[in-house]
Amino acid sequence: MKKILFVVAALLALSSCGDNAEETLIVNGKIKGLKKGTLYLQHVPDSVLITIDSLAINGDGNFSFKTKLMSPEIFYLYLDKKDNNDINDRITFFAEPGTITINTDWNTFDTTAKITGSESNEKLKEYKQTMSGINKRNVEIMMNAAQVDGELSQISVDSLANISNRNTQRGYAFAINFALNNKSSFVAPYIALKEIPDANVKYLDSIYSVLSPEVAESKYGKELATFLKKN
């Protein structure tokens, strides 16, 4: 009988280990002002966006999702507000095991979202803030060109093109250096894959070569390795 009890206890222990808290993602928070709508937790496991879970909200903007997460990756909160308006309806965040809290407003769903609980998301936010400034500069260059009265001389056109190209190169250089300087962040291979996949392969290979073992074995680390083999 003691042997039987020991076997049962061992099986239960193994079962509990299978439900590892380190592989569990909890996403909770509140959507201020939301009276009615459906909230979806989504991600892209391969190449297609899929819904993991959904929640009908009726009079209370609080929400909570729980799911398995084998590796840190990009997730989405999509809100169908039933208003026939697709603007401001999806929040992008870098999910990792643990509890992530997202608080926002229903009418500025993606622009006023406050996200806490994910170091990877903080690192991605840091990257995007600088890239936003670089991209904004490119838009300003194009707008200034469009507002010039009369036809631009070829010299002016070439000058504007050179300025825009230098700014674009600045963006690539920043992305590469950011990934290299954050080799222990799961964001590093994501930037290489999703932000600068058309960069020179030698730079992408340099990023992969410095990744920490844990990051290299992550979802985006493995995808970057596959991408490099193909190219």
Side-chain angles (χ1 to χ4, degrees):
M1 178 60 75
K2 287 183 179 179
K3 289 184 178 181
I4 294 175
L5 290 175
F6 176 80
V7 171
V8 171
L11 289 173
L12 288 173
L14 288 172
S15 176
S16 63
C17 289
D19 190 22
N20 195 333
E22 293 182 356
E23 297 176 353
T24 300
L25 167 67
I26 297 174
V27 182
N28 59 26
K30 183 174 183 178
I31 307 170
K32 187 178 179 180
L34 181 64
K35 300 301 180 183
K36 191 171 184 179
T38 305
L39 189 64
Y40 299 86
L41 182 65
Q42 303 173 321
H43 77 146
V44 182
D46 295 308
S47 59
V48 179
L49 180 69
I50 68 166
T51 294
I52 298 172
D53 201 355
S54 63
L55 175 66
I57 296 176
N58 190 4
D60 184 356
N62 292 297
F63 66 90
S64 182
F65 292 111
K66 182 177 180 180
T67 186
K68 287 290 183 182
L69 183 66
M70 302 309 296
S71 177
E73 64 172 292
I74 292 293
F75 267 60
Y76 306 92
L77 270 185
Y78 168 66
L79 176 62
D80 184 355
K81 301 188 290 284
K82 312 296 182 183
D83 60 356
N84 297 316
N85 187 351
D86 292 332
I87 298 175
N88 299 330
D89 60 2
R90 182 172 277 109
I91 294 172
T92 302
F93 63 100
F94 213 113
E96 56 187 32
T99 300
I100 296 176
T101 300
I102 302 177
N103 293 315
T104 188
D105 300 284
W106 76 273
N107 57 338
T108 52
F109 185 65
D110 63 335
T111 56
T112 60
K114 301 277 191 299
I115 305 172
T116 58
S118 169
E119 291 184 8
S120 297
N121 195 71
E122 288 299 312
K123 190 60 67 175
L124 181 62
K125 180 181 176 181
E126 178 186 340
Y127 166 79
K128 286 189 171 183
Q129 283 176 338
T130 300
M131 282 304 299
S132 177
I134 295 173
N135 294 332
K136 182 180 178 181
R137 176 56 181 155
N138 255 347
V139 172
E140 288 173 350
I141 293 169
M142 298 306 166
M143 288 183 66
N144 289 336
Q147 290 171 2
V148 175
D149 293 332
E151 293 185 4
L152 288 171
S153 67
Q154 188 60 46
I155 294 176
S156 298
V157 171
D158 292 342
S159 178
L160 286 168
N162 287 334
I163 293 172
S164 179
N165 287 336
R166 285 199 301 270
N167 198 60
T168 298
Q169 290 170 3
R170 179 186 165 214
Y172 272 82
F174 169 73
I176 293 167
N177 286 325
F178 190 92
L180 289 172
N181 292 330
N182 291 279
K183 59 187 179 182
S184 295
S185 171
F186 296 103
V187 171
Y190 171 81
I191 290 174
L193 278 169
K194 308 299 182 181
E195 297 289 312
I196 51 171
D198 53 346
N200 192 306
V201 175
K202 69 178 182 180
Y203 296 122
L204 300 182
D205 187 62
S206 294
I207 292 171
Y208 180 76
S209 66
V210 300
L211 296 178
S212 68
E214 183 183 15
V215 174
E217 285 299 311
S218 69
K219 172 183 170 68
Y220 297 124
K222 290 178 179 178
E223 288 182 7
L224 179 56
T226 301
F227 179 84
L228 290 170
K229 287 179 182 178
K230 291 181 179 178
N231 292 275

